[in-house]
DNA sequence: CAATATTAAGATAAAAAGGTCTTAAAATAC
DNA sequence: GTATTTTAAGACCTTTTTATCTTAATATTG
């Protein structure tokens, strides 16, 4: 469904949304350590996300990655678009060229309903809202 | 969700279920051609499926791949197990080590309901039944 | 300004997935 | 039995994905 890159990216962004503030940024080391993600790989992912204005960063002492208010208003789908492209979520589960109800494969109908819902959630929920939801329900982001 | 291998495999098996009989087997060439799948790659996939008794084959003149009655009674999940392993469908969508309600990631609940349904379908529907359903509703298996 | 901490950038490597080719083996038809 | 057709098997190549490493740039602190 998501590439490993994208899984790492989503988890990192959500973690930042919960734990970082403008005054307390988080370094790649800590982030990679906490979330059990290969450090250099995560660094690269965060660079891409930074370049695409999904996360913010600052260099030097007490620097690190963090989310500005503006970043928290971005919706989750944006992360996926940046890291995986949009096609990955919408293409036919059996790999057929077209995926729509007029060329439905045998599993299209079963899959489509769910995908619409999931898609909606990803498009309508901001990073900030997701973070809040995670906090409230104590959802998991780490490999414990 | 599925690997390319598995997508090809599923489509090929379902096509065989619809079109082949004991007396009219289908060669890799025709199969690959019809379904737009790289020939040698498909051959390899079919070998694995044959070795695992999901499809049947015979060599020589008028040989090819086909499904025996027994093959048609196998459920779809078997194909996936053979080609992708079972883990791919059940693991956490964010890549966390454990995926269950007590260690739910932020999307576990949204995903789990669908996965259960899909899983059920794959486990409960035999290849023969799927073929019949495809025939009835004219579902698509080819890249037209 | 100098020392230091940290991201940015990009080259490189390793592993996995996807795809091709060649030869062998088997079954059938003649 | 021989020629032919077809799968079986496995070596090999290519591309994509995942992961690592090195150096540069930049900001902060003192
Ligand atoms: S056509 Fe296969 S999922 Fe839509
Ligand atoms: S814990 Fe993430 S999908 Fe189940």
């Amino acid at each position: 469904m998501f590439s490993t890159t994208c899984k790492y990216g989503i988890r990192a962004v959500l973690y930042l949304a919960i734990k970082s503030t403008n005054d307390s940024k988080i370094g790649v080391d800590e982030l990679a350590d906490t979330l059990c993600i290969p450090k250099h790989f995560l660094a690269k992912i965060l660079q891409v996300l930074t370049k695409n204005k999904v996360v913010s960063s600052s260099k030097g002492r007490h620097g690190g990655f963090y989310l500005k208010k503006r970043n928290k208003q971005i919706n989750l789908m944006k992360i996926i678009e940046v890291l995986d492209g949009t096609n990955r979520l919408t293409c036919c589960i059996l790999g057929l060229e077209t995926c729509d109800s007029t060329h439905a494969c045998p599993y299209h109908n079963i899959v489509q309903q769910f995908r619409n819902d999931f898609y909606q959630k990803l498009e309508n929920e901001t990073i900030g809202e997701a973070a809040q939801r995670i906090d409230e329900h104590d959802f998991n982001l780490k490999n414990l």
Side-chain angles (χ1 to χ4, degrees), chain A:
Chain A
M1 188 126 243
F2 299 135
S3 69
T4 302
T5 297
C6 196
K7 290 172 185 170
Y8 288 164
I10 293 171
R11 283 168 56 207
V13 170
L14 292 178
Y15 186 81
L16 284 174
I18 296 170
K19 297 283 187 180
S20 78
T21 66
N22 282 14
D23 304 322
S24 118
K25 291 148 192 168
I26 302 183
V28 188
D29 281 324
E30 182 188 336
L31 216 45
D33 237 49
T34 314
L35 299 176
C36 298
I37 299 176
K39 176 176 151 183
H40 292 98
F41 194 15
L42 179 57
K44 203 182 225 170
I45 295 169
L46 287 170
Q47 278 160 36
V48 174
L49 290 171
T50 303
K51 202 184 284 178
N52 284 276
K53 314 246 187 218
V54 177
V55 313
S56 305
S57 74
S58 73
K59 294 183 180 179
R61 278 246 175 99
H62 301 122
F65 293 94
Y66 65 107
L67 299 186
K68 294 180 181 163
K69 251 186 197 159
R70 180 146 298 182
N71 296 132
K72 291 192 185 173
Q73 285 163 4
I74 295 172
N75 60 46
L76 261 290
M77 188 57 86
K78 174 74 174 176
I79 303 177
I80 292 148
E81 277 168 16
V82 167
L83 297 178
D84 269 355
T86 177
N87 185 49
R88 191 157 188 147
L89 274 181
T90 57
C91 71
C92 171
I93 199 169
L94 293 187
L96 299 179
E97 255 167 26
T98 59
C99 171
D100 60 51
S101 53
T102 67
H103 302 85
C105 77
Y107 299 99
H108 180 86
N109 296 329
I110 302 169
V111 164
Q112 195 54 24
Q113 178 60 47
F114 157 72
R115 283 207 300 208
N116 282 341
D117 294 352
F118 192 41
Y119 215 80
Q120 286 287 316
K121 185 89 180 178
L122 293 172
E123 280 204 317
N124 293 337
E125 191 176 48
T126 66
I127 292 173
E129 285 162 356
Q132 199 181 330
R133 185 165 61 84
I134 292 167
D135 232 11
E136 271 168 21
H137 296 82
D138 223 9
F139 286 127
N140 190 20
L141 289 174
K142 313 181 203 176
N143 285 320
L144 59 131

